[in-house]
């Protein structure tokens, strides 16, 4: 029998257990799914969330893989006791939710909806039609599972989508760039910039005074990725100067965002409390089950983390 240890918060066990058991049963695989083991050496796979007590992986000498419940792995990838293969979460539900959130906010800015939502003062301001999507450039920084899906959705709406990643990618309908020079090309003249790169030392302050200056005048920034991707002071300066029209921010360097942080009161910033998308237990559990079952049947593990790259 295969032993699978669920090492996460108690609340997550309540959410995930029925879906995991149903998934393994549907695959006809007999597993011992548990939150505790007497002997760590008996564990074959670990389903893991960094927000729990397990931090030392050395006793799990026979574990074939650690499967994270988080899409981001910055909280675990630096753990030197973790020598087992590490798989990040790629959840269809998480991806769908992120696409809906990103497209919704991109369209909000594209159509200028805030003018009317916040302008109910009796003044008839006439019609100022926005450009068609095909005439507006959108930059999507980060072309992993989430970024690629968002870029494809925006391209399907006929936006001019420029995608950027550290490594070369090819996505239908998206002009893809990579490397430092590619970042400048992706950002140059973009009217909407969406950040979905992983958080690594190489991506910290990816949007800074220099890179923000490459965007079109009065551009919009949308960040559902990670807080450290943006230099907060540079962003505020660009908003105050009018270089940027608005920033919609879902993630921050410190969460919850401190009550006295200037983002809360800034008239050109909308704060959402890290809700752009969440991992859904019913779909994420099946992703984990498929990865474990496939590996048991001789298939390579999916969504392996590159330790050197940090994602």
């Amino acid at each position: 029998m295969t032993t699978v240890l669920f090492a996460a918060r108690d609340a997550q066990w309540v959410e995930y257990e029925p879906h995991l058991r149903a998934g393994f049963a549907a695959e006809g695989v007999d597993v011992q799914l548990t939150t505790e083991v007497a002997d760590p050496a008996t564990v074959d796979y670990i389903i893991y969330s960094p927000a729990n007590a397990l931090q030392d992986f050395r006793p799990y000498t026979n574990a074939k893989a650690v499967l994270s419940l988080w899409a981001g792995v910055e909280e675990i990838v630096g753990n030197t006791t973790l020598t087992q293969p590490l798989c990040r979460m790629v959840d269809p539900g998480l991806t769908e939710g992120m696409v809906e959130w990103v497209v919704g906010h991109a369209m909000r800015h594209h159509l200028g909806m805030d003018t009317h939502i916040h302008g109910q003062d009796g003044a008839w301001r006439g019609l100022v039609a926005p450009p068609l999507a095909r005439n507006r450039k959108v930059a999507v920084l980060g072309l992993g599972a989430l970024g690629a899906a968002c870029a494809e959705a925006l391209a399907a709406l006929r936006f001019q989508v420029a995608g950027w990643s550290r490594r070369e990618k090819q996505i239908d309908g998206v002009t893809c760039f990579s490397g430092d020079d590619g970042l400048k090309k992706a950002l140059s003249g973009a009217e909407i910039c969406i950040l979905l790169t992983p958080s690594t030392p190489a991506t910290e302050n990816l949007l800074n005074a220099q890179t923000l200056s490459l965007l079109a005048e009065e551009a919009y920034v949308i960040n559902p990725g990670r807080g450290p991707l943006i230099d907060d002071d540079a962003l505020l300066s660009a908003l105050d100067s009018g270089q940027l029209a608005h920033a919609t921010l879902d993630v921050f360097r410190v969460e919850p965002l401190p009550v006295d942080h200037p983002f809360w009161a800034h008239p050109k910033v909308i704060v959402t409390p890290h809700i752009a998308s969440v991992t859904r237990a019913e779909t994420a559990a099946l992703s984990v089950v498929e990865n474990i079952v496939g590996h048991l049947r001789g298939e390579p593990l999916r969504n392996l983390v590159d330790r050197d790259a940090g994602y």
Side-chain angles (χ1 to χ4, degrees), residues 282-299:
E282 64 270 25
T283 51
L286 293 181
S287 179
V288 170
V289 167
E290 290 171 359
N291 209 354
I292 291 175
V293 170
H295 193 243
L296 287 171
R297 293 172 177 168
E299 299 173 10

Side-chain angles (χ1 to χ4, degrees), residues 2 23-31 45 64 289-302:
T2 300
F24 284 120
E27 293 286 350
V29 176
D30 190 15
V31 302
Y45 297 92
K64 301 173 182 65
V289 167
E290 290 171 359
N291 209 354
I292 291 175
V293 170
H295 193 243
L296 287 171
R297 293 172 177 168
E299 299 173 10
L301 289 163
R302 308 173 188 175

Side-chain angles (χ1 to χ4, degrees), residues 6 9 17 22 35 48 56 60 66 72 87 90 94 105 116 151 159 200 222 227 233 264 268 288 295 298 304 306:
F6 188 91
R9 300 190 307 272
E17 181 192 11
T35 59
Y48 183 74
D56 186 355
Y60 298 89
V66 174
C87 303
V90 175
L94 173 69
H105 283 283
H116 303 289
F159 284 101
T200 70
I222 301 173
D233 290 338
W264 282 115
K268 294 182 179 179
V288 170
H295 193 243
L304 278 171
D306 181 333

Side-chain angles (χ1 to χ4, degrees), residues 4-15:
V4 178
L5 175 66
F6 188 91
R9 300 190 307 272
D10 292 343
Q12 289 178 298
W13 173 244
V14 173
E15 288 182 314

Side-chain angles (χ1 to χ4, degrees), residues 90-106:
V90 175
D91 166 30
L94 173 69
T95 302
E96 289 175 31
M98 184 62 78
V99 168
E100 292 170 8
W101 191 92
V102 165
V103 170
H105 283 283

Side-chain angles (χ1 to χ4, degrees), residues 139-192:
V140 178
L141 306 187
L143 297 175
L146 297 177
C150 291
E152 288 174 331
L154 292 165
L157 291 169
R158 303 195 67 183
F159 284 101
Q160 298 176 23
V161 182
W164 177 83
S165 55
R166 302 295 298 183
R167 302 168 182 171
E168 291 185 11
K169 298 285 182 71
Q170 289 188 336
I171 300 172
D172 288 345
V174 178
T175 304
C176 296
F177 299 97
S178 61
D180 293 341
D181 188 55
L183 178 62
K184 297 175 184 177
K185 292 178 180 178
L187 289 174
S188 181
E191 296 179 66
I192 300 174

Side-chain angles (χ1 to χ4, degrees), residues 226-228 249-255 257 263 271-274:
R226 287 291 186 267
L249 309 175
D250 185 60
V251 287
F252 308 91
R253 291 174 182 271
V254 177
E255 296 183 2
L257 186 66
F263 285 156
V271 170
T272 62
H274 206 141

